[in-house]
Amino acid sequence: MDRRVYGVETEFGLIHRPAAAPEGVVAGPGRGLPPDELARYLFRPVVEFGRSSNIFIPNGSRLYLDVGSHPEYATAECADLLDLIACDRAGEAIMHDLAVWTQERITADGFNGQVYVLKNNVDSAGNSYGSHENYLIPRTTHFRRLSSILLPFLVTRQIIAGAGRVVPSDTEREAHFAFSQRADHMWEGISSATTRSRPIINTRDEPHADAAEHRRLHVIVGDSNMSSTTSLLRYGSTDLVLRMVESGVPVGDFELENPIGAIRHISHDITGQAKVRIRGGDEFTAVEIQRGLLERAQRFVRQHGAHHEHVQEIFELWERALEAVQTGDHSLIDRDIDWAIKKRLVEDVANRQGIGFDHPRLEQIDMAYHDVNPQRGLFHLLRRRGLVNEVITDEQVQQAMVTPPATRAAIRGEFLSTARAYGAECTVDWVHHKLVDRPLETVMLKDPFATEDPRIESLLARLGDPSTQLRELSVAERQQQSASVALSDRYVLAGPAAAAEPPLI
């Protein structure tokens, strides 16, 4: 595909931790609000805004409560990788704003303690929640060839894009550090299920586009990333492998004999020396498989040209990450790749306090790394101290919170903003746009790359006098007009004042 639409769906962890009893006071049971009740608090502004816990918001993205009371944010369709990363990071900021509001409400209702929203993939009880990637691919792509190439790539991709995890000890192994949070929770290579049996690739065919031309590749194996450089490598390398598959060029035979056994074996060997067997009997390390795919991708770009300006940056990150794993010199990427950033942080704390990986303090550090609170989260603290690299700015994130990317999402965002500015009830999904009082005039828009549509313009023009205001307003002016809506309506709630810089540990 010359152009591709990307999207990512992130499920967030949600915790209420009661405050410790004051000195000299006997503590009670200390149980926090259960997740379902806390989630209802969190989504109260959402329900007030959209009369539902499953809505689209003016930046074109979707906000909803998923199975298990997990708040979920699905980015708008993005045709640029940096737009995708900014839109995903905007979801973190929106969730934080909702958490601030929730904190105020539960305190007013007599509950003490803190509300935590975590962009990670596992909780202390062993439950897992996901970060799902979506890639628009041609309907003509041969799915059997796609899966045979993509599965080995995704199984081994954790060494370049994993979030890292402190794994507690069990009857089989000591506490240790692993590449991935999701690896132990995948159960099939390919399946149409998502919750009953988590596959690496989900085959449910919902293209949200013209089904005769496109299908949506749904990948649910990835870890949630805090680092924007990790995200760039995660999505960018996957896009390059997909382009090779779509072009029909030889990519090599790395089809795995046991993908699920392989993904777990690789995750728990931070040395990168673990070997996995491919069909035919040969054994390779994850580095060898990734390097083989990287070299083919580099050759592909030399022959066919780069399709966007980020390709060389992706190649440099990819090469450096493989070198770090192969040599064991993780300092090569401990400012750029989540698992290496977290590993450095965990080891610094362990060495300073003289504790091992089995100490509960390190599990707390692991969780705190993913805290979306910009004043409290450890990743954000590292950012402020200049200890991690970024490919996007805070200004880009703030813009992405209220402005859709230049895809079909721009039409959806304008439709929502304009209808709300005029007090008109409307409903949308990824494809459909409808004013409630004009149900027979629903507009279906199958082209995810479209940024304007005369049918939508005509529908919106009927909200006011077409000879005056609406006809004269540009799209930008309409969005500006909708800014008069209360900030809470756009999920940009007032955050707390910046506190003094907390200690790293």
Side-chain angles (χ1 to χ4, degrees), residues 240-276:
L240 284 162
V241 172
L242 286 175
R243 289 181 185 278
M244 290 191 289
V245 173
E246 293 160 356
S247 298
V249 300
V251 182
D253 184 8
F254 297 111
E255 189 170 3
L256 297 168
E257 190 175 85
N258 180 1
I260 300 306
I263 197 171
R264 297 176 184 178
H265 187 44
I266 291 167
S267 179
H268 293 282
D269 182 11
I270 202 69
T271 70
Q273 300 304 307
K275 289 184 176 289
V276 293

Side-chain angles (χ1 to χ4, degrees), residues 44 123 349:
R44 196 175 294 173
D123 63 19
V349 174

Side-chain angles (χ1 to χ4, degrees), residues 86 97-98 107 113 173 175 207 226 247 299-300 303 308 323 332 351 366 375 387 404 416 455 459 483 495:
D97 289 341
L98 289 171
T107 300
R173 56 195 172 206
M226 298 299 293
S247 298
R299 182 166 64 242
F300 177 76
Q303 294 173 348
H308 59 68
E323 182 70 14
L332 291 172
N351 292 335
D366 190 335
Q375 279 77 47
L387 297 175
L416 287 168
R455 296 170 299 168
L459 194 58

Side-chain angles (χ1 to χ4, degrees), residues 424-445:
E425 291 190 48
C426 67
T427 61
V428 299
D429 59 23
W430 296 109
V431 175
H432 300 89
H433 307 71
K434 180 176 70 175
L435 294 175
V436 171
D437 64 350
R438 299 175 182 272
L440 299 181
E441 299 181 34
T442 300
V443 176
M444 179 186 295
L445 185 56

